[in-house]
Amino acid sequence: MSVLISRKIRVHQLAETVRAGAEIVAENVALPSAGQVLIRNRFAGINALFDRAVVRDELPYRLINPPFDLGVEAVGVVVAVGQGVENLKVGHFVSTTRFTQSYREYQTESADKVWQIPALHPAYVALRPTAVSALVALEQVGQLKDGETVAVTAAAGGLGQFVVQFAKMRGCRVVGICGGAHKVAFLRQLGCDAIIDYRTENVGQALQEFSPKGIDLIYDTVGGVLFDTLLNHLAVRGRVVVSGYASDMGRPELPELVTSPRIYTQIYWKAAQIRCFQNALYPEFQDDASRRILAWYHAGLLQVKLDERRFKGIEQVFDAIDYHLSGQNVGKVWIEL
Ligand SMILES: NC(=O)c1ccc[n+]([C@@H]2O[C@H](COP(=O)([O-])OP(=O)(O)OC[C@H]3O[C@@H](n4cnc5c(N)ncnc54)[C@H](OP(=O)(O)O)[C@@H]3O)[C@@H](O)[C@H]2O)c1
């Protein structure tokens, strides 16, 4: 193979924005070692809130020190295989999920970490790991039961669309909460039993009408005022899955603003629970969830909504991140590489 050059996004310094902290760099691509495959990434999922938090050093622990690369999920084509690799061949389409491996044109990965997929399609960057996170969080953290009432925030987003669908598959009554008329239209088509546009409706009143006895399971990724309102409508023995807090993330002034009562005063008398989810901390459930999700998708039982805004080429990763942070998206934000 002649010398290949790969371009990627590399964070060279911690900064306020990914654009300020990162740059595009080119490097020679090495042939895969034994047990590895070389992949030409074709699609990547965008996880702007996570990217920004990492570059701002906002996680309670430092993942890695600069310089480091960004991006998690990718779909691509195997272009070379290392010695001893039996399960994959050149030309196979694959899905990968590993921090630092997707905002780049080529990646090298252990063959046993790579999932072969039947088609080269961006839907797979939404299925793994976004849909996987939704399923593991609902089942393992939310302890979802058949027929419950479920409320989902950012329901029209990359992750929320799957929370809605998995809850519906379990016979639940689902209220999808979102910001904007274009998202309402999508959630109607997705099969939500009720939809609340928090920009134009009184969320508390709408939740009360949807379920006067309260909501059994709240799946929240938005946080802020919406979280407070949802908490007031939690059912007896209800559960809240905190899977993100998009509206409050990146606000260092926040602790000074929070004046609400201590959380336990709101949940103690209902014997309710607030539990948090982090996909990386539930690794043992991910393979099984991936298998079930891919089977449902291939059987036509699971829709994947990809956001319609198109981004192409490594230089547009920054624009895709800014767009995702604007919160306008419907479905998963992604880029073609
Ligand atoms: N815990 C985990 O392991 C895990 C794994 C994956 C993702 N997540 C989190 O889950 C959430 C969904 O991820 P995703 O990639 O699928 O994103 P997404 O839902 O496609 O996009 C984020 C959505 O959050 C809402 N939002 C509200 N306030 C926002 C703000 N200030 N800035 C940006 N968005 C805002 C917007 O929807 P509305 O306008 O409809 O509210 C927006 O579309 C994110 O918060 C992400 O960090 C967590």
Side-chain angles (χ1 to χ4, degrees), residues 46-50 52 73 129-130 133-134 137 153-161 177-180 182-183 187 198-199 219-223 226 242-249 251 276-281 323-333:
I46 301 291
N47 302 296
L49 287 153
F50 176 72
R52 187 182 62 181
E73 61 268 27
T130 309
S133 292
T153 62
L159 182 127
Q161 62 172 319
I177 302 167
C178 65
H182 61 308
K183 301 189 182 191
L187 288 179
Y198 64 77
R199 293 185 187 205
Y219 194 110
D220 183 34
T221 62
V222 171
L226 204 47
V242 176
S243 172
Y245 52 98
S247 70
D248 274 350
M249 208 171 258
R251 297 178 64 194
C276 298
F277 173 70
Q278 273 302 316
N279 53 10
L281 303 181
Y323 171 72
H324 196 192
L325 288 174
S326 78
Q328 298 168 59
N329 63 296
V330 182
K332 177 80 183 173
V333 182

Side-chain angles (χ1 to χ4, degrees), residues 122-132 162 293-294 297 302-304:
Y124 291 95
V125 296
L127 291 165
R128 297 186 68 245
T130 309
V132 171
F162 296 114
I293 285 167
L294 292 180
Y297 176 65
L302 194 60
Q303 291 189 39
V304 176

Side-chain angles (χ1 to χ4, degrees), residues 17-217:
T17 63
V18 176
R19 208 182 275 276
E23 60 192 349
I24 297 172
V25 296
E27 62 186 7
N28 286 346
V29 175
L31 284 172
S33 310
Q36 293 186 325
V37 288
L38 178 65
I39 298 161
R40 172 67 170 96
N41 286 345
R42 287 296 180 191
F43 304 108
I46 301 291
N47 302 296
L49 287 153
F50 176 72
D51 297 335
R52 187 182 62 181
V54 173
V55 172
R56 285 186 177 178
D57 200 21
E58 280 176 352
L59 307 187
Y61 45 87
R62 174 86 54 89
L63 273 178
I64 194 168
N65 289 316
F68 60 85
D69 304 337
L70 277 183
V72 180
E73 61 268 27
V75 158
V77 189
V78 175
V79 291
V81 297
Q83 212 181 356
V85 173
E86 304 279 337
N87 59 328
L88 291 166
K89 305 225 173 318
V90 170
H92 278 170
F93 305 134
V94 292
S95 147
T96 62
T97 66
R98 186 150 71 85
F99 176 58
T100 72
Q101 293 299 297
S102 81
Y103 297 165
R104 55 199 302 140
E105 291 167 335
Y106 289 86
Q107 65 163 309
T108 306
E109 180 58 289
S110 294
D112 59 0
K113 297 266 188 301
V114 167
W115 284 59
Q116 193 186 345
I117 51 176
L120 188 63
H121 196 282
Y124 291 95
V125 296
L127 291 165
R128 297 186 68 245
T130 309
V132 171
S133 292
L135 188 59
V136 174
L138 271 178
E139 293 182 345
Q140 304 303 327
V141 181
Q143 305 281 304
L144 180 70
K145 298 178 194 67
D146 293 347
E148 290 194 311
T149 50
V150 178
V152 187
T153 62
L159 182 127
Q161 62 172 319
F162 296 114
V163 180
V164 169
Q165 292 184 76
F166 296 145
K168 287 306 299 174
M169 287 162 91
R170 296 284 299 270
C172 295
R173 276 184 75 228
V174 180
V175 54
I177 302 167
C178 65
H182 61 308
K183 301 189 182 191
V184 170
F186 167 60
L187 288 179
R188 193 166 292 125
Q189 178 263 317
L190 198 60
C192 282
D193 298 282
I195 302 154
I196 306 172
D197 180 348
Y198 64 77
R199 293 185 187 205
T200 56
E201 293 177 62
N202 179 323
V203 177
Q205 196 177 319
L207 286 170
Q208 183 64 27
E209 282 164 21
F210 174 70
S211 183
K213 287 187 170 171
I215 308 290
D216 297 314
L217 179 56

